[in-house]
Amino acid sequence: ETGVTQTPRHLVMGMTNKKSLKCEQHLGHNAMYWYKQSAKKPLELMFVYSLEERVENNSVPSRFSPECPNSSHLFLHLHTLQPEDSALYLCASSQDRPQTTNTIYFGEGSWLTVV
Amino acid sequence: AQSVAQPEDQVNVAEGNPLTVKCTYSVSGNPYLFWYVQYPNRGLQFLLKYITGDNLVKGSYGFEAEFNKSQTSFHLKKPSALVSDSALYFCAVRDPGSSASKIIFGSGTRLSIRP
């Protein structure tokens, strides 16, 4: 149990579907993240929310749409995805305070397959 | 600019033998350094971190890591490997003056422990 819960753990969707990934953190953190992990590629930071404001959006295609309704919940809305979007999507959280360690804690991930 | 390198894609060790997973980094000033482990079909799990102080840091599951400033290294070690240690290990670095989202992850080293 990491304190960061992701659902669903596995998702198969067609290219015309709309689905969402959900993340909830129980660590009292004020920052949340979406990462993408593909085979044979480095971890890619997609989005960062700090105090519910999006502070980073690393050139992610608009078919990925994040939502952070409060500091404990983070969603990734998926629409018109491509097969190359198939990957493990990791949610993470941390405290984001100056001059502190701000260790990032990850969820178990959501395996996404686009067919 | 900060960077981190894990020079070995794969490390193979016999059960009961000591193991080392290598990591070198580049960052201006004193770094924050982290190790994470990823078991099959799971998310990244925080193992240990170096902030300041004692160069030998102890973490979960009997792992430890040694910070060596002159060699800019932060190698992960364990005196006696277990088959259950087989997993993917990530080293990460961050400039203490930056936010948590600026953490840089290495490409990962797959550790395989044979019975």
Side-chain angles (χ1 to χ4, degrees):
Chain A
E1 179 58 54
T2 67
V4 181
T5 304
Q6 290 187 241
T7 55
R9 293 293 318 280
H10 298 271
L11 177 63
V12 178
M13 60 185 289
M15 289 190 284
T16 59
N17 291 159
K18 283 185 184 180
K19 297 284 185 184
S20 296
L21 305 180
K22 179 183 174 183
C23 178
E24 183 175 0
Q25 60 97 358
H26 309 276
L27 300 171
H29 290 160
N30 62 4
M32 296 187 77
Y33 313 80
W34 281 114
Y35 282 85
K36 177 183 178 183
Q37 186 179 27
S38 306
K40 311 227 184 260
K41 283 187 176 180
L43 270 174
E44 298 174 49
L45 177 62
M46 300 174 73
F47 300 105
V48 181
Y49 277 82
S50 181
L51 297 170
E52 298 147 47
E53 297 283 331
R54 190 190 310 181
V55 295
E56 282 192 50
N57 175 357
N58 289 343
S59 303
V60 178
S62 59
R63 56 187 185 268
F64 294 92
S65 174
E67 179 190 359
C68 187
N70 55 60
S71 60
S72 299
H73 293 86
L74 185 65
F75 295 89
L76 188 62
H77 303 301
L78 315 169
H79 175 51
T80 324
L81 295 193
Q82 304 297 312
E84 59 265 28
D85 297 322
S86 299
L88 178 65
Y89 288 85
L90 292 162
C91 176
S93 72
S94 76
Q95 272 301 93
D96 196 10
R97 282 199 203 117
Q99 306 304 322
T100 60
T101 319
N102 298 330
T103 302
I104 293 180
Y105 293 91
F106 288 84
E108 298 284 33
S110 293
W111 284 99
L112 173 65
T113 303
V114 182
V115 297
Chain B
Q2 57 191 25
S3 65
V4 62
Q6 294 182 243
E8 301 156 317
D9 288 338
Q10 174 110 15
V11 171
N12 299 308
V13 177
E15 188 176 27
N17 283 0
L19 69 87
T20 298
V21 183
K22 295 180 181 176
C23 173
T24 58
Y25 67 90
S26 173
V27 68
S28 56
N30 296 317
Y32 286 165
L33 293 156
F34 305 81
W35 275 103
Y36 287 82
V37 59
Q38 186 176 29
Y39 297 103
N41 301 315
R42 307 290 291 276
L44 274 68
Q45 191 173 328
F46 169 70
L47 265 183
L48 52 79
K49 65 186 175 188
Y50 171 81
I51 307 303
T52 186
D54 194 347
N55 289 343
L56 187 64
V57 179
K58 294 189 184 296
S60 308
Y61 311 121
F63 283 93
E64 57 190 28
E66 186 168 12
F67 171 62
N68 187 319
K69 188 169 183 177
S70 62
Q71 296 185 5
T72 60
S73 67
F74 189 55
H75 300 333
L76 183 70
K77 300 181 180 184
K78 188 172 181 181
S80 178
L82 299 172
V83 173
S84 56
D85 293 328
S86 298
L88 188 56
Y89 290 80
F90 291 93
C91 182
V93 65
R94 182 166 68 83
D95 184 325
S98 65
S99 64
S101 67
K102 301 303 181 187
I103 189 170
I104 302 293
F105 288 90
S107 54
T109 297
R110 191 162 298 281
L111 177 64
S112 178
I113 309 300
R114 60 184 183 275

